[in-house]
Amino acid sequence: MTSNPQPKQNRQRSFNRRVMALFLSGAGLLIIATAAMILLPRITSTSAQNNVEEIDYQSAVPIEVDYPAPELDLVSLDGKAVSLRDFRGQVILVNNWAFWCPPCRAELPALEKYHQAHQSQNFTVIAIEAGDQFEDVDYHVKSFEMTFPVWLDPYEKSLKAFKNFSLPSSSVIDAQGQVRLTWTGPITYEMLEKYVTPLLEE
């Protein structure tokens, strides 16, 4: 009696079809993920702001410190040479951020609101973008309608100068050039009022 090879061949073909289906499914997911990464920076202005406003996050709490501000020379978004020395006599909130960082994006409305509320008190926010291309940074600055200065930091000099490589991270420098507050993580408007505003009134 001879064995029938047909069932075995059918099982092999069925197995091959399943393997091919899994391969094509995986390849499709990879293509979708790659496309999403490429297209993510180009979200619209309205959706960018809406997404930020929907994020509920726990605020960072500033820590009191007292040491001289580091020397830092960079380039502004409009291509001008800039330095922290140029702002001596003002209170400065230095914010290290990146447009691809969700917590960084989450706190932008709070920073903008606080800057608008207190810029008449010899205060400014300086947002230092860590390492990304001008086109992407410029796009997101316009999308979020950021009115405070934005500096480009392609070599992450600011992260090194403030000895903090987390994003977002912020430090407040007083009018005498001393770092008085520092924190890591996104912050709320209420926390800025509680901790930063007293420095503006000194």
Side-chain angles (χ1 to χ4, degrees):
M1 178 177 171
T2 59
S3 62
N4 184 1
Q6 192 65 28
K8 184 176 181 180
Q9 292 174 355
N10 289 341
R11 286 196 298 272
Q12 184 65 41
R13 283 196 294 268
S14 178
F15 175 77
N16 290 341
R17 282 196 297 268
R18 287 197 297 270
V19 170
M20 182 60 67
L22 288 172
F23 174 79
L24 292 175
S25 177
L29 290 174
L30 181 61
I31 292 170
I32 292 170
T34 303
M37 291 178 65
I38 293 171
L39 295 174
L40 179 61
R42 295 299 181 218
I43 58 178
T44 65
S45 171
T46 301
S47 63
Q49 295 187 19
N50 288 342
N51 287 341
V52 167
E53 292 170 354
E54 291 172 359
I55 294 174
D56 182 21
Y57 61 91
Q58 184 174 1
S59 178
V61 178
I63 299 171
E64 293 186 5
V65 293
D66 190 6
Y67 60 88
E71 296 290 325
L72 187 60
D73 300 291
L74 292 170
V75 176
S76 67
L77 197 59
D78 56 4
K80 297 179 181 177
V82 286
S83 172
L84 286 182
R85 292 186 301 272
D86 301 336
F87 291 82
R88 183 63 62 89
Q90 297 185 42
V91 177
I92 313 164
L93 191 164
V94 176
N95 175 249
N96 289 302
W97 73 293
F99 73 83
W100 45 262
C101 160
C104 301
R105 296 158 66 93
E107 71 174 353
L108 287 177
L111 294 176
E112 177 62 31
K113 181 179 178 181
Y114 191 82
H115 174 76
Q116 291 285 354
H118 295 283
Q119 60 181 329
S120 62
Q121 294 177 263
N122 207 28
F123 167 81
T124 190
V125 173
I126 298 176
I128 302 179
E129 214 283 346
D132 293 297
Q133 297 296 319
F134 164 82
E135 292 80 7
D136 287 326
V137 179
D138 184 57
Y139 175 84
H140 284 81
V141 167
K142 291 174 180 175
S143 295
F144 286 96
E145 299 180 354
M146 298 159 66
T147 63
F148 43 78
V150 176
W151 297 0
L152 299 174
D153 189 8
Y155 303 108
E156 300 182 351
K157 291 170 61 177
S158 182
L159 301 179
K160 297 170 186 173
F162 285 96
K163 296 180 172 61
N164 188 343
F165 289 86
S166 299
L167 295 175
S169 59
S170 300
S171 297
V172 177
I173 304 171
D174 68 17
Q176 287 71 49
Q178 292 289 113
V179 179
R180 300 283 298 278
L181 296 171
T182 188
W183 63 89
T184 299
I187 195 166
T188 61
Y189 181 83
E190 290 72 23
M191 280 292 188
L192 291 170
E193 286 286 2
K194 179 178 180 179
Y195 287 92
V196 180
T197 301
L199 297 181
L200 306 182
E201 298 169 350
E202 289 183 351

